[in-house]
Amino acid sequence: MTTSLKRERYTPYITFSREEWAETSGDALLQLQDYYDLEQLQGMNEPLTQEEITQIYLPLAHLLNLYVKSSQTLHKATSSFLGSQELKVPYIIGIAGSVAVGKSTTARVLQRLLQAWPDHPRVDLVTTDGFLYPNKTLEANKIMNRKGFPESYDIKRLIHFLADVKSGKERVAAPLYSHLEYDVLPGQLQWIEQPDIVIVEGVNVLQVRPRQQQKDPAIFVSDFFDFSIYVDAAEKDIRKWYISRFESLRATAFQNPESFFHRYAHLSDAATVELATQIWDDINKPNLEQNIAPTRYRASLILEKGHHHFVQSVKLRKT
């Protein structure tokens, strides 16, 4: 590996350029290069190339594989020490970042790649959208325009879910969310049945409650994570990506009469951009600045994207 890694003395992170990070993949490329389909993994308006997987996601999957194997070895050592076979618990990875920054694509790619290793073939992906309060609850509390902010999530239910998963419970249910209906689907559940790894993706996964709200002993979602990732980019770039995605959705998903946003299907191009900009400025930007971006340095690893939507550098927390 090159010797230009930025190992600043007074920072908790080691910073890798894209090229330096790509050199860390080891034999992962040979193992995984035929294990995925780009079209299935790519998100709307989120470019995903073979080069991005090879240079960014394969090294990350390789690192996570080493961490998971280490955790499994520690589990065996603990069981040996106790003289009994303790129940295996999943390794939990949290992925945070702004709306439209590419969290979902990162989560899907890592899920697919991590499944390739025989050490942990069962990898489940859960999004925190399902833990939003239903629209009727948000409307009753007059916070529908705060959807995605901390107060719009049933954090207690999410923490109970993660506690059950981390305790090794055989079957744990997560609520499902429909982006078409823009609401939690009543009675529909995703069942988690003792996988090797669980990836939890959402804007809120690294957030903590303000001190004045901590009536009980403080337990945070991130307390259950073994590793966490923050997908980062400049606000002006995320804003551009959000508007572009909104334009694409108007021409596709919004055309469905069952879509919550069908009312916007016939907007002109100019009106679409104006509305998307307003939503960003009134809702998504304040949420990013007040609640999401401040959690950036709580992550184990930060993927820093450039204006082209591709990762340009990686920060890995020192251990």
Side-chain angles (χ1 to χ4, degrees):
M1 181 180 292
T2 57
T3 58
S4 59
L5 296 184
K6 297 178 182 176
R7 300 177 182 271
E8 297 95 336
R9 184 176 178 184
Y10 300 114
T11 175
Y13 291 95
I14 303 170
T15 301
F16 298 78
S17 69
R18 182 184 181 91
E19 295 71 26
E20 290 164 343
W21 182 252
E23 293 178 21
T24 65
S25 62
D27 62 356
L29 178 59
L30 295 175
Q31 245 180 294
L32 302 175
Q33 59 186 351
D34 298 321
Y35 198 75
Y36 47 82
D37 184 328
L38 284 176
E39 290 186 8
Q40 291 180 355
L41 297 174
Q42 188 169 359
M44 179 173 285
N45 288 85
E46 293 176 17
L48 181 65
T49 63
Q50 180 68 52
E51 183 180 56
E52 187 76 350
I53 290 183
T54 300
Q55 295 189 353
I56 302 300
Y57 292 113
L58 279 175
L60 179 52
H62 182 216
L63 174 68
L64 288 168
N65 170 59
L66 295 175
Y67 282 1
V68 175
K69 285 203 296 186
S70 176
S71 176
Q72 292 170 341
T73 299
L74 180 60
H75 168 75
K76 291 177 182 177
T78 302
S79 294
S80 175
F81 172 76
L82 296 175
S84 64
Q85 183 57 46
E86 291 300 305
L87 198 63
K88 182 189 73 172
V89 296
Y91 190 91
I92 301 184
I93 300 168
I95 300 180
S98 172
V99 169
V101 80
K103 299 183 307 301
S104 297
T105 296
T106 295
R108 283 193 301 272
V109 172
L110 286 179
Q111 180 188 27
R112 188 65 176 141
L113 296 181
L114 288 170
Q115 287 171 337
W117 270 283
D119 313 283
H120 39 73
R122 296 184 56 201
V123 183
D124 283 346
L125 171 59
V126 176
T127 71
T128 60
D129 291 340
F131 293 90
L132 284 160
Y133 287 113
N135 287 351
K136 63 181 181 181
T137 302
L138 298 177
E139 290 166 352
N141 292 324
K142 297 182 171 52
I143 56 171
M144 190 66 178
N145 65 337
R146 302 275 293 177
K147 196 168 190 175
F149 282 69
E151 62 268 30
S152 66
Y153 288 91
D154 188 345
I155 295 297
K156 183 178 290 187
R157 185 177 184 183
L158 176 55
I159 286 175
H160 284 166
F161 164 79
L162 290 169
D164 284 344
V165 170
K166 203 60 176 170
S167 69
K169 192 172 180 180
E170 288 187 9
R171 296 185 83 224
V172 185
L176 288 175
Y177 185 87
S178 168
H179 287 278
L180 181 68
E181 298 181 28
Y182 196 58
D183 203 357
V184 178
L185 296 171
Q188 296 197 35
L189 301 170
Q190 172 186 1
W191 287 98
I192 307 301
E193 301 181 1
Q194 293 185 306
D196 302 298
I197 300 172
V198 177
I199 299 173
V200 181
E201 176 258 309
V203 298
N204 62 324
V205 297
L206 293 178
Q207 292 168 14
V208 297
R209 290 174 294 170
R211 287 187 179 276
Q212 60 267 28
Q213 294 181 16
Q214 295 178 4
K215 298 178 183 178
D216 303 318
I219 301 176
F220 307 125
V221 171
S222 57
D223 290 342
F224 299 94
F225 295 162
D226 297 287
F227 193 90
S228 55
I229 299 166
Y230 186 93
V231 185
D232 195 23
E235 186 272 333
K236 63 181 177 61
D237 292 326
I238 308 175
R239 175 181 178 272
K240 178 180 67 178
W241 301 337
Y242 176 79
I243 294 170
S244 176
R245 187 175 73 177
F246 197 91
E247 291 179 286
S248 296
L249 287 169
R250 185 208 62 182
T252 54
F254 294 178
Q255 298 297 319
N256 187 332
E258 308 241 335
S259 170
F260 179 86
F261 294 101
H262 182 63
R263 72 194 87 168
Y264 303 137
H266 303 295
L267 290 178
S268 66
D269 290 350
T272 300
V273 171
E274 182 179 359
L275 176 61
T277 301
Q278 180 184 342
I279 294 172
W280 177 263
D281 290 341
D282 292 349
I283 299 175
N284 293 319
K285 180 179 179 180
N287 195 22
L288 171 61
E289 293 179 342
Q290 297 167 21
N291 302 304
I292 303 170
T295 71
R296 180 178 189 265
Y297 289 106
R298 301 190 70 238
S300 311
L301 180 139
I302 302 170
L303 298 174
E304 299 180 315
K305 289 189 171 185
H307 64 88
H308 36 51
H309 224 311
F310 295 117
V311 174
Q312 60 185 6
S313 60
V314 178
K315 289 183 181 295
L316 176 64
R317 185 176 290 278
K318 297 173 183 176
T319 56

